[in-house]
Amino acid sequence: MESWVIYALLDALAAALATILAKIGLQNVDSITATALRSIVMTVFAVSIMLYFRGVAYVGRITSMEYIFIILSGVAGGLSWIFYFLALQKGDTSIVAMIDRSSILFIILFSLILLHEELTLKKAISVALIAIALYLLII
């Protein structure tokens, strides 16, 4: 099995745990405060991992254009977390998570438009099935 597949599966496992733990933690905490606290923990954790494996020198090699896109990605990720926690606080965990994971529909659309990736038959069928599943969940 390719290493990226293992990383993707570990990502899915960690995301599932994060969702369940967040739902439990959100019972008496407003979602924006919880998102801010989660961001602090993730920042400390990510910086620690970066320093351990890469050190500080690697940061100096990042170009200004890369910084811009990383910052924009961070803003989009922060908005995603805020909206996710708002939905998670009020909605059914499994449905909120399923809708959140349907971001793959937007990812495929943006990858076609912005990254000029190919729309294969397999991707098109997957998009249709995800869209149908999402529709069935929210009707």
Side-chain angles (χ1 to χ4, degrees):
M1 186 177 298
E2 301 269 348
S3 63
W4 66 266
V5 174
I6 294 168
Y7 293 143
L9 290 170
L10 289 171
D11 166 47
L13 176 63
L17 285 171
T19 295
I20 297 303
L21 296 170
K23 180 68 173 184
I24 295 167
L26 282 169
Q27 291 182 13
N28 297 310
V29 179
D30 77 277
S31 57
I32 294 175
T33 302
T35 302
L37 293 174
R38 178 185 191 196
S39 298
I40 292 167
V41 170
M42 290 179 73
T43 299
V44 169
F45 181 74
V47 169
S48 299
I49 296 295
M50 179 195 72
L51 291 174
Y52 182 78
F53 287 104
R54 301 287 187 259
V56 203
Y58 190 76
V59 176
R61 291 186 248 160
I62 300 172
T63 68
S64 57
M65 187 60 76
E66 290 167 335
Y67 271 118
I68 289 170
F69 282 101
I70 291 168
I71 289 167
L72 290 173
S73 172
V75 171
L79 285 171
S80 170
W81 289 353
I82 288 170
F83 293 136
Y84 183 66
F85 272 29
L86 283 167
L88 192 59
Q89 195 168 40
K90 298 172 190 266
D92 184 67
T93 307
S94 58
I95 294 175
V96 169
M98 188 77 120
I99 293 170
D100 174 66
R101 299 319 184 264
S102 73
S103 63
I104 186 66
L105 300 172
F106 296 106
I107 293 168
I108 291 172
L109 176 66
F110 292 149
S111 71
L112 293 172
I113 295 168
L114 301 174
L115 303 176
H116 309 290
E117 291 185 3
E118 180 183 358
L119 179 62
T120 63
L121 179 60
K122 185 167 41 171
K123 281 184 193 175
I125 292 169
S126 298
V127 165
L129 291 172
I130 293 167
I132 290 167
L134 183 60
Y135 175 76
L136 291 172
L137 274 173
I138 60 178
I139 58 168

